[in-house]
Amino acid sequence: MQIGLIGLGRMGFNMGRRWLSGGHAVVAYNRSAQKAEELGTHGAVAATDLATLIERLPAPRVVWLMLPAGQLVDDHVEQLLGRLAAGDLIVDGANGHFRDAVRRGENLRSHGIGFIDAGVSGGIWGLQNGYCTMVGGDAADVRRVAPLLETLAPADGYLHAGPVGAGHFLKMVHNGIEYGLMQSYAEGFELLQASGFNYDLRAVAALWNRGSVVRSWLLELMERAFTTDPHLSSLKARVDDSGEGRWTVQQAIELGVPAPAITAAVFQRFASRQENGFGLRVLAALRREFGGHAVTPADSKSADGPSK
C-alpha cells in the first residue's frame, strides 16, 4: 500500500521504517529535510514539500500525520485541503484532543475527504515490538487502511474503537492510566529506597516481573534504568506532561467519574517541578526508557513551570 507520511520525529520516523519493512511504499515529508532524506536511505521517497508529497501519491490518497498535537495539525490539515481531492483520506496520529478530532473530521467530510484519529502507543520501542493503535473513524475508512494498521501493530494490536474521536479519547484514557501506574511504581520504589534495608532495586524490579501480580513492561524498563544508574543520581526529579493526563482528569470531572489515582498522579508531576525526590526520579527515568522523552540532568538549573 502507498502512504504519505508527514512528521518524522521519535515516533513517525520508526513508523515509516516499520511500514517500509512491511512492503509498503512511503512518501515522507518533514520540516527538516534531513529526516526525510534519512528515511529515504531505508527506501522511502523523500518529498521536499507538501505539494511534492501529494503529487507522488496515486489517488485516492492516504496521508498520515505524526505531528505535535494542536495548531500544527490544524495548519497541515488546512494546507492539505487545498491539495487533496474527494475520496482522499487523512489519518491523525498525534496525541490530540478528541474534540479536535471530531471538529477536523466534520470539516474534512464536508469536502469529501475522510478522516481517522489514531492513538499510537509504543514509544521508541515500536519499531521492534510494534505499535498498539487505537482508531476512530468510519468503518470503510478503517478497512481501507487496515494493511497499514496490521503492519504497524503487533498481532491483534489495533482496534477500531468507534467513530471519529473515539481513537483519541481511548488514547487519552490510556495515557491517564499510564500516569497512575507509573506513580504507583515511583512511590513503591521510594519506600524501598528509604527503608534502610539497602535493597538492590534492579533486582527487585527483575524479581517482581517473575510471576508477581504487579509485573509489567514498565517494570522491565525500571530494571533497565536501575542497571545503568542504580540510584538515578544522574536525573533531576522533574517530570513533564504532554497534556493527555490533564485531559483525562478534565473528562473525569465533566462525566462525574471518580479518578483519584490519575488525578493525584497528574498533580504529582506538577509538584516534581519544585522538588527532587527519588520517586520523582523514578518517574523521569520511566518516561525516558519507554518513550525516549527528554529528561533533566541532575545538575540542570532549568526553570520550573508546567509543560504545555
Side-chain angles (χ1 to χ4, degrees):
M1 187 170 178
Q2 293 185 304
I3 181 173
L5 175 60
I6 299 174
L8 301 175
R10 285 191 305 266
M11 295 278 282
F13 187 87
N14 281 341
M15 288 167 61
R17 287 186 60 189
R18 191 167 172 92
W19 280 320
L20 289 164
S21 67
H24 301 286
V26 178
V27 182
Y29 169 73
N30 193 69
R31 182 174 57 182
S32 168
Q34 180 181 359
K35 294 296 292 185
E37 292 167 359
E38 184 179 351
L39 193 59
T41 65
H42 295 278
V45 174
T48 55
D49 51 41
L50 292 181
T52 302
L53 180 138
I54 298 303
E55 290 170 2
R56 299 299 299 266
L57 292 172
R61 307 169 186 86
V62 175
V63 178
W64 192 302
L65 306 179
M66 284 303 296
L67 299 167
Q71 188 60 47
L72 192 60
V73 176
D74 281 326
D75 291 345
H76 279 75
V77 168
E78 189 64 29
Q79 293 178 63
L80 289 169
L81 259 178
R83 295 180 170 89
L84 296 177
D88 292 342
L89 174 63
I90 294 176
V91 183
D92 177 17
N95 278 332
H97 198 287
F98 74 96
R99 288 201 175 101
D100 289 335
V102 172
R103 169 177 56 80
R104 291 173 187 135
E106 291 174 349
N107 180 35
L108 289 166
R109 191 179 304 114
S110 69
H111 294 272
I113 298 171
F115 181 79
I116 288 173
D117 55 300
V120 184
S121 180
I124 59 176
W125 298 91
L127 174 62
Q128 175 182 345
N129 299 330
Y131 296 87
C132 175
T133 310
M134 296 147 262
V135 178
D138 293 340
D141 290 336
V142 175
R143 284 195 297 270
R144 182 173 160 191
V145 299
L148 295 170
L149 296 171
E150 289 167 359
T151 299
L152 192 65
D156 300 320
Y158 81 89
L159 175 70
H160 180 198
V164 171
H168 280 173
F169 191 96
L170 186 57
K171 180 57 161 54
M172 175 192 73
V173 176
H174 165 282
N175 283 24
I177 293 170
E178 174 191 299
Y179 277 45
L181 289 172
M182 291 170 63
Q183 183 63 35
S184 293
Y185 285 133
E187 292 173 9
F189 278 103
E190 184 161 27
L191 277 169
L192 296 176
Q193 175 78 354
S195 69
F197 284 110
N198 195 28
Y199 289 109
D200 179 341
L201 298 182
R202 183 213 59 78
V204 170
L207 171 70
W208 284 351
N209 256 334
R210 275 68 175 180
S212 163
V213 296
V214 299
R215 63 187 180 274
S216 74
W217 183 52
L218 288 174
L219 268 181
E220 292 178 24
L221 297 175
M222 200 68 267
E223 179 184 355
R224 172 188 167 98
F226 285 135
T227 298
T228 58
D229 188 356
H231 301 289
L232 306 182
S233 55
S234 65
L235 301 179
K236 184 176 181 181
R238 176 188 174 91
V239 187
D240 292 320
D241 69 288
S242 51
E244 299 91 337
R246 302 185 190 202
W247 300 338
T248 304
V249 172
Q250 289 165 358
Q251 286 305 302
I253 293 170
E254 289 187 25
L255 297 173
V257 175
I262 294 173
T263 302
V266 173
F267 288 156
Q268 189 67 9
R269 293 198 178 195
F270 299 165
S272 78
R273 293 149 204 174
Q274 302 172 12
E275 54 188 75
N276 193 36
F278 183 78
L280 295 170
R281 295 204 299 278
V282 169
L283 286 180
L286 279 173
R287 285 187 92 236
R288 176 188 63 190
E289 292 296 328
F290 76 74
H293 297 289
V295 295
T296 305
D299 59 354
S300 172
K301 298 179 179 178
S302 57
D304 290 335
S307 170
K308 303 297 183 186

